[in-house]
Amino acid sequence: MPDEQMANSVGQSSAAPPPAPAARPLDTIDRAILRMLQTDGRASIRSVAERVHVSRANAYARINRLLDDGVIRGFSALIDQERAGQGASAYITLKIVQNSWRTVRKQLTALPGAAHIALVSGDFDVLLLVHAKDNRELRELVLTRIQSIPEVLSTRTLLVFEETDLGPEGE
């Protein structure tokens, strides 16, 4: 299937946004900085510099370049959902009306507990990860909120029994 036809079949218009500028290649120091920041996003410039064996000025400049280039999109905390009062998690697959991805994405992003949304290929169109207080709240989210979106044709809910966040090297 040609790319344009495939994009249209999963809800994208044929008018693609302009291509992003080519990313600068990353060297071993850049990759070491990325691994360190994935492990500890609160690491100081000094500790980054010491760990990757560069000056503080060099580490600062590299981190800023990685931010400016969009390689680092931001910093966040890893949350233990259960300890944060979100004891029920689920992956929800959605089949949606063709060419409705942008509309559906906007509505899913506004849902309480939505953690990750992806447009995918295969037997369904969208994969959504949600966290809820309990199964009752999860049921309400799926049956009332998601299934009431007009462009959503069907859903399938996969309950998460246990999760493991992988570190930068699959730890």
Side-chain angles (χ1 to χ4, degrees), residues 29 44 67 74 85 115 124 137-138 150:
I29 294 172
S44 69
L67 283 161
F124 48 88
E137 188 175 286
L138 182 60

Side-chain angles (χ1 to χ4, degrees), residues 97-168:
V97 171
Q98 187 173 355
N99 296 320
S100 66
W101 164 239
R102 287 178 184 88
T103 302
V104 171
R105 177 181 57 198
K106 184 177 180 181
Q107 294 176 73
L108 295 176
T109 301
L111 291 174
H116 183 84
I117 303 166
L119 179 67
V120 297
S121 64
D123 294 336
F124 48 88
D125 304 307
V126 178
L127 182 63
L128 170 67
L129 172 61
V130 297
H131 303 291
K133 180 176 74 175
D134 53 28
N135 282 344
R136 181 180 305 239
E137 188 175 286
L138 182 60
R139 178 182 182 276
E140 177 72 18
L141 184 69
V142 174
L143 297 180
T144 304
R145 302 284 299 268
I146 295 172
Q147 290 184 356
S148 70
I149 298 171
E151 298 83 2
V152 172
L153 301 173
S154 66
T155 64
R156 185 174 206 175
T157 303
L158 307 163
L159 294 177
V160 174
F161 295 127
E162 186 176 316
E163 293 181 88
T164 302
D165 286 321
L166 301 179

Side-chain angles (χ1 to χ4, degrees), residues 26 30-39 66 71-72:
L26 302 180
D30 291 329
R31 292 187 191 289
I33 290 171
L34 290 174
R35 279 191 305 276
M36 185 173 179
L37 291 175
Q38 281 180 300
T39 302
L66 292 167
V71 175
I72 297 174

Side-chain angles (χ1 to χ4, degrees), residues 33-110:
I33 290 171
L34 290 174
R35 279 191 305 276
M36 185 173 179
L37 291 175
Q38 281 180 300
T39 302
D40 180 7
R42 295 176 56 179
S44 69
I45 296 292
R46 188 179 109 204
S47 65
V48 170
E50 288 172 359
R51 181 122 183 246
V52 299
H53 309 292
V54 297
S55 70
R56 279 184 273 182
N58 188 334
Y60 183 80
R62 284 173 178 266
I63 291 170
N64 280 334
R65 180 179 51 80
L66 292 167
L67 283 161
D68 291 343
D69 287 354
V71 175
I72 297 174
R73 296 182 296 159
F75 298 89
S76 63
L78 295 175
I79 309 295
D80 181 319
Q81 295 298 329
E82 195 167 346
R83 292 182 67 101
Q86 301 291 308
S89 297
Y91 285 96
I92 303 166
T93 66
L94 297 86
K95 288 187 182 181
I96 62 173
V97 171
Q98 187 173 355
N99 296 320
S100 66
W101 164 239
R102 287 178 184 88
T103 302
V104 171
R105 177 181 57 198
K106 184 177 180 181
Q107 294 176 73
L108 295 176
T109 301

